[in-house]
Amino acid sequence: MPLDFSFTCVLASGLHARPASRLAEAAQPFQSACVLSNERSGAVANVKSVLAVLAADVSDGDRCRIRVDGPDEIAAAAALRLFVERDLPRADDPPVTARTETTAGGMRLPRVLARSSARYSVGLAVSSGIGVGEAVLVRDMAWPADIAQERAGDPVIEQGRVTRAIALVEASIRALQAHGVSGVEAAILGAHAAIVADVSLAETIAARIAAGRSAGQAVIDAGELFAARLRGAANPALRERAADIQDICRQVLDALYGRSASRLATRLTTPSVIVAETLSPQQLLAFDRQWVSGLVLENAGTTSHTVILARSFGIPAIVGVPRVTRTLAAAEPVIVDGHRGLVVTHLAPETRRFYDHERRRRRSRQAALARVSAAPALTVDGRRIEVGANVSSAEELGPARGSGADGIGLFRTELLFSERSDMPSEDTQCRIYVEAVGAMAGRPVIVRTMDLGGDKPVTSVTLPPEPNPFLGYRGVRTYPDNQDLVRAQLRAIARASAYGRIQLLLPMVSSIEEVLWVKALVADVQDELGSAGFAFDPAMPLGIMMEVPAVSFMLDRLAAEVDFFSIGTNDLCQYFFAADRGNAKVAGLTSVTHPGFLRFLKQIVDQIRRLGKWVGMCGEMAGDVRLLPLLVGLGLDEVSANVSQIPALKDRISRLSAADCEAFLARALACDRSDEVEALVDGARSIERPRPLVEPELVRLDGECASKEEAIRALVDAFYVGGRTEEPHRIEEAVWMREAQYSTGLGHGIAIPHCKTDAVTSDSIGVLKLRAPIEWGSLDGEPVRMVLLLATRESNIDGRHLKVFSQLARKLMDQGFREQLFGVDDAMGVIHHLSGELEMAV
């Protein structure tokens, strides 16, 4: 009797190529017929066919039904149901967020750009960065015309040619997938391999050959058929896959005819901006990546596979630029502004200067953060807080070390194996962990053993279907039934411990019995290794994840058995509130800033510290720079976050006082609601260490600016590089709003532009001495030789802005003060001169 079940698609981009290929892969091992029905559209699809599933046009929120009928229907239905409930929600990346700086009145350009003679085309910025190069136009590739005229041979021979060509293309894609590519690239190539081997594609080609078409004609017919179906889909993510289908069929043509029958071979030798109506992932991969400095597409959307690849490669990209392939000339110099969504051409000198400065500014900010992150994170009053890195692969280890991580705070090992059909060997695992130890060069590496189940599927481990996997068979609970896998991983970790500071972390612990069971297994493994002559650290620390609220009531017992604790706020929060963070209807309940949850965290941390144990935090909460005053106030020994967040975390910790943060946390704990805590957090800049009004990084004595606009921009950029703002455009706009009221050129070669805005993190003065004077519209008509930009926080109510401004204005009217200021030739000299003359300290 046929079996069926229903589910709702929860993927933001629907069932497009990657999740569809994984669904088809789950159905392939079974003989039973597996049919998917989209209840919204009425479309029906063979689940074993990626193309058929794509054509079903399943979007986010669509209700679907899968029906299974055949000799192994019970096992097939169970496997598919498990995949849909456990794996499908995580079978895709979050959608790309497109950005463009627009207002109701149109594009908001920096003043320098708005005044330049350059031309701009506007699109959606989908991959950040600034790319400069010559335009390389890639035209839409038509099907080879000569194939349409060829005569079909014997259908059996034609079918054999196609079968061999498809096998060659699949093997080629699989080889690329396995050869040192990123996870994103591997996932996309895996979806392409599934499409080229798809049963519906093969059946359609075979039907065309049987009807008298040649092999090449049949491939083209099939490509057009499936591309047309996808172009007509309601789901925009599926419409964007039409280019993938056509490109795969072109690769089959290449294999059929033994030539590049369909693609343009463009060899890049200089920095280049690729410009096309559409571009397939395979076309992008065919370019020499070292020369691809930008990507501009007319028709691609934000979920295009090509866009996703561009982001993973760090290539600035803009999509949705109308007629760009007809307005740009080949080899024309072009700038891709992946921050503002601009394609810039007809480059004027001031435009080139602006973008040269923009790139230098971003490099300088990264260098400034790198200097901070290289040192330990110490609060103003001397408390050290370790900042670790959360990693999931060997590729992240180098960036983690470069970011200044104090160690690996969480190595998620299950993600190393999630896409494999079999578990890696003990030796393979050991090499990965030894590589982690080597990358950290003496810093600790906390390796979490496999966290199976819940939202972390591992293909090679079959877990039973569950109505609520988050409350079911996951984490350490699965270990007794998978002892061979667990033993192999423990042996690999123990062997790697001989090479450095490895610490073992157990996931999803809810009882002391689980800890004792693992400790016994670790002891057994170490005995085996010792007998076999392997070296290991017999005192390798063992810790547990704090994810299940129950363990907080057993901390005294657990502390006698383990060496450290790591708080996983993602799961702990959802279990605390009994609300699934993946369920949109209740996800709003799982707020880490809820006073009740903060009180729970404080009880946990206070008790662990009283017990003399180390406690860190590795959930998403730990990586939120805004929440650092709360986390420092809790008294954590460590926070661990994604690599990109580490410099900013260290930078802010260095500006906080632990004592002030404890008082701040007490205020948060006294609140009743999350929004009250959020309001406190938003105003928490007031508890940071007061920064001097002016510091060396805010003083520039060799300004090469050709206009008032460039000078203001240079000073605002100094605030950004110096860590005084994360929103330089807001400061710039505030300055120009003030400038529109009256000129701030005081005369005598001096200008004092100023503003009040909370976009600046602390009251600041920037100083710019110009190599050549510039026009400012000063009161005395004289050009300006020095600019002092004053920015104060709008939320400050002490009137400091007006006091400092009036003091500066009075002093600058004094000829002796001005001459001394003009004569100073180093940043510290400027600072000493200002602090010595002004009544308030700078």
Side-chain angles (χ1 to χ4, degrees):
M1 180 178 177
L3 302 174
D4 63 6
F5 63 90
S6 297
F7 70 95
T8 299
C9 179
V10 294
L11 297 177
S13 299
L15 276 179
H16 64 89
R18 280 178 288 163
S21 67
R22 293 192 58 188
L23 177 61
E25 181 182 345
Q28 289 292 348
F30 302 100
Q31 298 178 47
S32 298
C34 306
V35 178
L36 178 145
S37 302
N38 184 340
E39 295 181 5
R40 172 184 59 81
S41 65
V44 176
N46 176 4
V47 176
K48 298 179 182 180
S49 167
V50 179
L51 293 175
V53 174
L54 292 178
D57 193 12
V58 178
S59 299
D60 184 21
D62 281 358
R63 189 71 177 167
C64 299
R65 181 172 294 277
I66 290 181
R67 182 181 178 87
V68 182
D69 186 7
D72 52 2
E73 60 192 25
I74 295 176
L80 288 174
R81 186 173 198 135
L82 177 63
F83 175 84
V84 166
E85 292 176 351
R86 186 189 72 179
D87 300 357
L88 188 61
R90 293 178 57 85
D92 198 11
D93 297 323
V96 174
T97 300
R99 304 172 310 283
T100 185
E101 292 186 14
T102 56
T103 65
M107 170 61 59
R108 184 174 69 228
L109 291 174
R111 299 280 174 141
V112 175
L113 292 184
R115 288 170 57 92
S116 78
S117 59
R119 296 182 185 176
Y120 310 96
S121 298
V122 182
L124 294 176
V126 292
S127 182
S128 63
I130 296 168
V132 181
E134 295 182 355
V136 173
L137 302 183
V138 179
R139 306 294 182 186
D140 270 6
M141 294 182 293
W143 301 111
D146 58 337
I147 295 177
Q149 310 303 321
E150 69 181 8
R151 295 173 62 87
D154 183 297
V156 174
I157 295 175
E158 297 290 277
Q159 182 61 53
R161 292 176 61 210
V162 168
T163 301
R164 288 190 294 274
I166 286 175
L168 283 172
V169 173
E170 183 184 6
S172 174
I173 295 173
R174 292 293 186 194
L176 281 174
Q177 185 186 18
H179 184 64
V181 295
S182 68
V184 171
E185 189 177 345
I188 291 172
L189 289 170
H192 282 197
I195 290 172
V196 77
D198 189 82
V199 62
S200 293
L201 180 65
E203 289 173 353
T204 301
I205 293 172
R208 295 299 192 274
I209 290 174
R213 302 287 279 169
S214 72
Q217 291 164 351
V219 171
I220 292 173
D221 290 349
E224 283 296 319
L225 173 68
F226 287 109
R229 288 179 182 175
L230 293 181
R231 282 193 289 264
N235 183 348
L238 295 179
R239 294 198 295 269
E240 291 171 4
R241 299 301 176 258
D244 294 55
I245 303 298
Q246 290 179 311
D247 185 65
I248 287 166
C249 288
R250 288 189 178 99
Q251 292 180 61
V252 175
L253 290 180
D254 291 352
L256 266 174
Y257 294 95
R259 57 188 172 92
S260 184
S262 56
R263 61 183 66 245
L264 294 174
T266 303
R267 183 170 177 269
L268 306 180
T269 57
T270 58
S272 303
V273 172
I274 310 302
V275 182
E277 289 187 21
T278 60
L279 195 75
S280 74
Q282 297 283 352
Q283 286 176 282
L284 179 59
L285 291 172
F287 287 109
D288 186 344
R289 205 174 303 160
Q290 69 171 316
W291 298 116
V292 180
S293 57
L295 181 63
V296 181
L297 302 175
E298 285 188 20
N299 298 326
T302 61
T303 57
S304 137
H305 276 165
T306 304
V307 165
I308 294 168
L309 277 178
R311 281 176 63 87
S312 74
F313 297 153
I315 299 172
I318 301 174
V319 301
V321 185
R323 299 177 56 81
V324 69
T325 56
R326 288 172 285 282
T327 57
L328 277 180
E332 180 178 358
V334 61
I335 292 174
V336 178
D337 186 338
H339 303 291
R340 299 176 181 84
L342 298 176
V343 181
V344 188
T345 57
H346 295 76
L347 306 179
E350 61 269 25
T351 312
R352 292 182 182 275
R353 279 202 308 274
F354 174 86
Y355 280 109
D356 286 345
H357 187 82
E358 187 92 338
R359 289 192 291 179
R360 287 197 301 271
R361 177 188 75 158
R362 293 181 184 276
R363 287 197 299 268
S364 297
R365 176 63 188 274
Q366 291 305 312
L369 287 174
R371 287 192 294 272
V372 171
S373 64
L378 292 172
T379 63
V380 174
D381 45 358
R383 180 187 296 173
R384 179 172 182 181
I385 299 173
E386 297 173 36
V387 181
N390 294 343
V391 302
S392 304
S393 66
E395 290 78 15
E396 296 174 86
L397 296 171
R401 172 75 183 277
S403 71
D406 295 320
I408 300 299
L410 176 65
F411 197 140
R412 304 183 188 91
T413 60
E414 67 278 351
L415 297 184
L416 295 174
F417 318 129
S418 60
E419 298 297 330
R420 297 175 59 109
S421 58
D422 59 344
M423 288 294 291
S425 68
E426 176 187 321
D427 287 344
T428 299
Q429 292 185 60
C430 183
R431 282 195 297 271
I432 294 171
Y433 306 139
V434 169
E435 184 178 348
V437 168
M440 286 299 103
R443 299 175 179 88
V445 176
I446 298 178
V447 179
R448 185 176 70 186
T449 52
M450 286 183 297
D451 189 5
L452 307 176
D455 60 349
K456 303 177 182 73
V458 174
T459 305
S460 57
V461 180
T462 301
L463 299 177
E466 299 177 89
N468 190 339
F470 281 103
L471 294 178
Y473 191 56
R474 58 169 299 198
V476 72
R477 302 171 183 181
T478 67
Y479 288 5
D481 291 333
N482 295 278
Q483 289 195 44
D484 289 345
L485 296 178
V486 176
R487 181 179 289 273
Q489 184 175 37
L490 290 177
R491 283 176 58 93
I493 294 171
R495 286 168 55 187
S497 72
Y499 296 85
R501 295 175 59 189
I502 279 189
Q503 300 176 206
L504 189 66
L505 181 64
L506 305 182
M508 196 63 183
V509 171
S510 55
S511 71
I512 196 167
E513 290 86 354
E514 293 163 340
V515 174
L516 294 174
W517 186 89
V518 174
K519 287 185 71 174
L521 187 58
V522 169
D524 189 41
V525 162
Q526 290 178 333
D527 286 344
E528 286 181 357
L529 292 175
S531 299
F534 286 104
F536 59 87
D537 176 11
M540 178 177 63
L542 173 70
I544 65 169
M545 291 285 292
M546 294 288 298
E547 298 170 291
V548 180
V551 298
S552 66
F553 299 96
M554 291 290 293
L555 287 174
D556 55 340
R557 300 289 193 275
L558 286 164
E561 301 294 341
V562 303
D563 302 295
F564 67 96
F565 297 84
S566 184
I567 301 173
T569 53
N570 299 356
D571 277 327
L572 185 64
C573 190
Q574 74 171 344
Y575 294 142
F576 180 80
F577 288 104
D580 181 358
R581 55 192 164 95
N583 184 333
K585 292 187 180 297
V586 297
L589 298 174
T590 60
S591 171
V592 295
T593 56
H594 189 283
F597 186 65
L598 292 176
R599 292 172 190 173
F600 184 46
L601 289 177
K602 182 167 173 33
Q603 291 173 13
I604 290 171
V605 175
D606 284 352
Q607 188 172 2
I608 292 173
R609 294 186 68 83
R610 281 197 299 270
L611 293 165
K613 299 294 183 177
W614 183 98
V615 56
M617 179 183 288
C618 60
E620 290 179 12
M621 186 181 186
D624 192 335
V625 177
R626 294 173 56 253
L627 302 182
L628 272 175
L630 299 174
L631 304 185
V632 174
L634 283 171
L636 295 166
D637 293 298
E638 179 233 36
V639 292
S640 188
N642 292 338
V643 170
S644 61
Q645 297 164 307
I646 290 171
L649 288 168
K650 282 194 162 187
D651 181 50
R652 193 172 190 199
I653 288 171
S654 71
R655 300 201 300 272
L656 293 170
S657 156
D660 288 346
C661 288
E662 289 170 4
F664 180 80
L665 176 64
R667 292 170 59 198
L669 297 178
C671 293
D672 295 323
R673 304 188 311 272
S674 294
D675 59 346
E676 294 173 343
V677 176
E678 289 288 343
L680 276 178
V681 168
D682 288 341
R685 291 291 180 183
S686 61
I687 72 166
E688 291 185 7
R689 175 183 62 184
R691 301 184 72 175
L693 275 172
V694 60
E695 291 180 301
E697 61 265 27
L698 304 185
V699 179
R700 300 191 173 181
L701 303 179
D702 58 348
E704 194 169 351
C705 302
S707 66
K708 179 178 182 176
E709 289 78 12
E710 289 188 8
I712 289 175
R713 179 77 181 181
L715 283 167
V716 171
D717 286 351
F719 286 3
Y720 174 72
V721 171
R724 304 276 178 136
T725 183
E726 298 298 325
E727 302 172 287
H729 63 279
R730 281 184 57 197
I731 298 178
E732 191 172 1
E733 287 297 315
V735 169
W736 281 107
M737 285 179 64
R738 180 77 65 175
E739 204 71 25
Q741 299 173 17
Y742 54 84
S743 172
T744 55
L746 296 183
H748 308 291
I750 299 271
I752 314 181
H754 52 283
C755 68
K756 293 183 68 176
T757 172
D758 283 342
V760 66
T761 59
S762 60
D763 296 348
S764 306
I765 295 176
V767 181
L768 176 67
K769 184 189 290 187
L770 297 161
R771 291 184 179 180
I774 57 176
E775 179 56 40
W776 201 277
S778 300
L779 298 176
D780 61 358
E782 293 296 320
V784 162
R785 298 160 53 198
M786 180 173 283
V787 185
L788 289 85
L789 173 58
L790 171 61
T792 59
R793 288 181 56 79
E794 193 168 16
S795 55
N796 292 348
I797 58 175
D798 58 4
R800 193 184 198 200
H801 171 269
L802 292 177
K803 293 176 184 177
V804 175
F805 180 80
S806 61
Q807 285 188 39
L808 273 175
R810 286 198 307 270
K811 285 295 182 183
L812 290 169
M813 297 306 292
D814 180 279
Q815 182 177 354
F817 179 85
R818 291 196 309 272
E819 289 178 352
Q820 289 183 18
L821 190 58
F822 283 132
V824 176
D825 58 3
D826 66 278
M828 289 308 302
V830 169
I831 293 171
H832 290 148
H833 184 59
L834 290 175
S835 62
E837 294 292 336
L838 296 181
E839 293 176 10
M840 58 178 56
V842 297

